[in-house]
Structure formats: structure tokens, C-alpha cells
Amino acid sequence: MQAESNGSDHPIEVVLVAGMSGAGRTTVANVLEDMDWYVVDNLPPQMMRPLVELVARADGALPKIAVVIDAKGRTKYAELQATISDFVDQGLSLRIVFLDASDEVLVRRFESTRRPHPLQGEGTLLEGIEAERVELESLKHRADIIVDTSDLNVHQLSAEVRKRFSDDDTPPLRLTVMSFGFKYGLPKDADHIADVRFLPNPYWIPHLRGHNGLDSDVAEYVLEQNGAEEFIDRYAATLSTVAEGYLHEGRGYAMIGIGCTGGKHRSVAISERVGRLLSAQTGIPVTVRHRDLGRE
């Protein structure tokens, strides 16, 4: 839906994510959330318009909304059709993404998770799937995008969603390089950890002790040490290869931790340099953070 917020020039884009249970709605929701969409799962149809009106008052802070329709919530699809018609009658556009898969694939997916179909009741798994197809038939006909996930794995579906919903302002992958001090513990959410304690510690240089890796005198000292530039070049090249793999697999975010003893000198200087080099080599936005700087 493209709508103008009250008195604002900020358009609001709304996507309705629907489809067969087991066809990948959760995967689509996760990818859209990684792409900075505001995702609402299992929202009753009658709450869609109040949600959009509420977001409109945010004055552009939440311009993209994805509403996931889930059969587990016993959605009344007749009400949903009425809500969609209301959007159309008001001259607003609503994009509907419908996820489908063959009966055989859906049966296999449910059997692998050992969970019943939400519409199965006292019947068989296949009867639950057939009942859902009947309820969703009219919604499928109104869909703007239909994705058959029968032959797609999670990574392929993620890539398909990113391809369809990415724009020039949406980076396909976001990287964070974080300096830290080992004495304060490892970053729990780091995907890669590098240890730069093999370099001489500026802490033992009296005139550098009170400074940190953001200061030019400390950075120059660290980068002039034997092995520093070689490490930076090789590690950035390795991370560039890893980033290419993440892009191929449809991953949206990764964090690289670079540590020294206290997270004040060496790791800070190296993180700054690795972040700049990695961004230049890949073209991917890289955020550099310093977890423990100023902690002492």
C-alpha cells in the first residue's frame, strides 16, 4: 500500500504475506525484518487499517510494514477479503505475497517437524492442507506475487525475497566490526573473532598509555609493528570471501570481533583499519564499534 501519512510526505508501504502453512512465511518475515521492515505476525484483518493509521503518525519513522497472515490464528479469510477490498475502494494499493508449495512437499515438511497442520483437526494432514487451499484460493487469485517454494531451500527463498524487495537504499548485507577487550569477555553475538594480542601493547609505552586506538599516535604505533599490515590485508581479504558467501546464502548481517587485552589500543586501531579496507573491497556498508573503549 502506498499511502501518505497525515499531513506528511512520507509514503507507507504495506505488504501482506500470506500462503500455505509450511510454505515459508516465517522465512519471508525474517528476511523482511532484516531489511528494516516493521513485521507484524498474525494480525487480525480488522486491525490492519488501525495499524497503518498508527504508523502514519510516526511521520516516516516506520515507512515499510509487512503483515503476516497465519492460519494458526484461525484467520477469518472473509474478513481479510473485505479489508483488502476496503483498501482498494479507498484508492490505496496493497501488495500481496502468496507462498505456495506442492501437497507432497508440504506433507514432507510437516512430517519432518512432527507437527500437525493448523487446520487438520481430527482429520489427516493432507485433509488439513486441502482445507487451507480452499480457504486461500480467492486470496491467491488476488496476489501480486506468487512464490512456489517447492524446490527452494531457506537460503534460496531468502535470496528471492531480497531480490524482489531490495531497493537502492537497502544493503544486501550489513557488517559490523567490533573491537573488544578479552579481559571483559568475548562478544556473544560475534560470527568471527580475531586476536591481535600478538602485537606489542601500547599500554607499556608511557606517553601512549592514556591514549586510545582512535588517536593518531597510538594508531601509527600499532600499524607500524611487524606483522600488523600483513595481518590487516590478509584478514580483510578473508572476510571479503566470507562476505561473498553470506551474500550468496542470503544472510543479512554479520559481526566480526577483534580483540586485544583491554579493548583500548590495538583492537581499536586494527578494527578501524579493517573496517575501512573491508568496505572498500566489498562495497558493503561496514559499521565499526568499540565495545570496551572508555571502560577502564
Side-chain angles (χ1 to χ4, degrees), residues 12 20-21 31 41-42 84-85 89 92-93 105 108 110 140 150 172 176 178 191 210 229 247 250 264 284 288 296:
I12 301 172
M20 298 296 295
S21 299
V31 173
D41 197 4
N42 199 21
I84 294 172
S85 297
D89 292 342
L92 304 174
S93 62
V105 169
R108 187 166 64 247
F110 273 101
K140 181 177 180 179
S150 299
T176 296
M178 175 184 287
D191 298 283
E229 292 289 357
L247 287 169
K264 179 179 179 180
I284 296 172
V288 180
E296 292 185 346

Side-chain angles (χ1 to χ4, degrees), residues 108-182:
R108 187 166 64 247
R109 290 174 181 173
F110 273 101
E111 287 180 343
S112 67
T113 61
R114 299 183 179 181
R115 298 180 63 187
H117 188 280
L119 299 185
Q120 181 175 341
E122 298 298 324
T124 67
L125 176 56
L126 189 57
E127 287 173 343
I129 293 173
E130 291 173 347
E132 188 173 33
R133 283 203 188 281
V134 172
E135 290 199 19
L136 291 176
E137 183 177 2
S138 59
L139 182 60
K140 181 177 180 179
H141 287 313
R142 301 190 69 162
D144 302 283
I145 300 172
I146 299 176
V147 181
D148 190 328
T149 69
S150 299
D151 299 320
L152 301 179
N153 60 34
V154 172
H155 303 303
Q156 291 168 330
L157 177 56
S158 297
E160 180 68 19
V161 174
R162 290 184 181 280
K163 180 177 69 175
R164 290 179 179 270
F165 288 94
S166 292
D167 53 41
D168 294 337
D169 298 325
T170 304
L173 174 65
R174 292 176 294 178
L175 297 175
T176 296
V177 176
M178 175 184 287
S179 70
F180 69 94
F182 277 96

Side-chain angles (χ1 to χ4, degrees), residues 269-287:
I270 297 295
S271 293
E272 289 286 332
R273 187 65 167 268
V274 168
R276 289 194 298 269
L277 187 56
L278 184 58
S279 180
Q281 290 178 351
T282 64
I284 296 172
V286 178
T287 300

Side-chain angles (χ1 to χ4, degrees), residues 8 10 31 71-72 92 115-116 150 172 180 198 209 244 247 253:
S8 172
H10 300 287
V31 173
K72 292 193 293 292
L92 304 174
R115 298 180 63 187
S150 299
F180 69 94
F198 68 92
R209 179 175 299 177
E244 291 178 5
L247 287 169
Y253 173 79

Side-chain angles (χ1 to χ4, degrees), residues 35-94:
M35 297 172 67
D36 295 328
W37 286 68
Y38 183 76
V39 178
V40 183
D41 197 4
N42 199 21
L43 185 72
Q46 61 269 27
M47 294 299 296
M48 288 179 62
R49 178 167 288 280
L51 172 66
V52 174
E53 293 174 351
L54 180 64
V55 173
R57 299 193 188 104
D59 196 27
L62 296 171
K64 299 185 294 186
I65 309 170
V67 178
V68 183
I69 301 300
D70 191 341
K72 292 193 293 292
R74 298 300 189 268
T75 297
K76 296 182 179 179
Y77 291 105
E79 293 184 14
L80 178 59
Q81 292 286 0
T83 301
I84 294 172
S85 297
D86 182 45
F87 280 117
V88 175
D89 292 342
Q90 295 296 323
L92 304 174
S93 62
L94 175 69

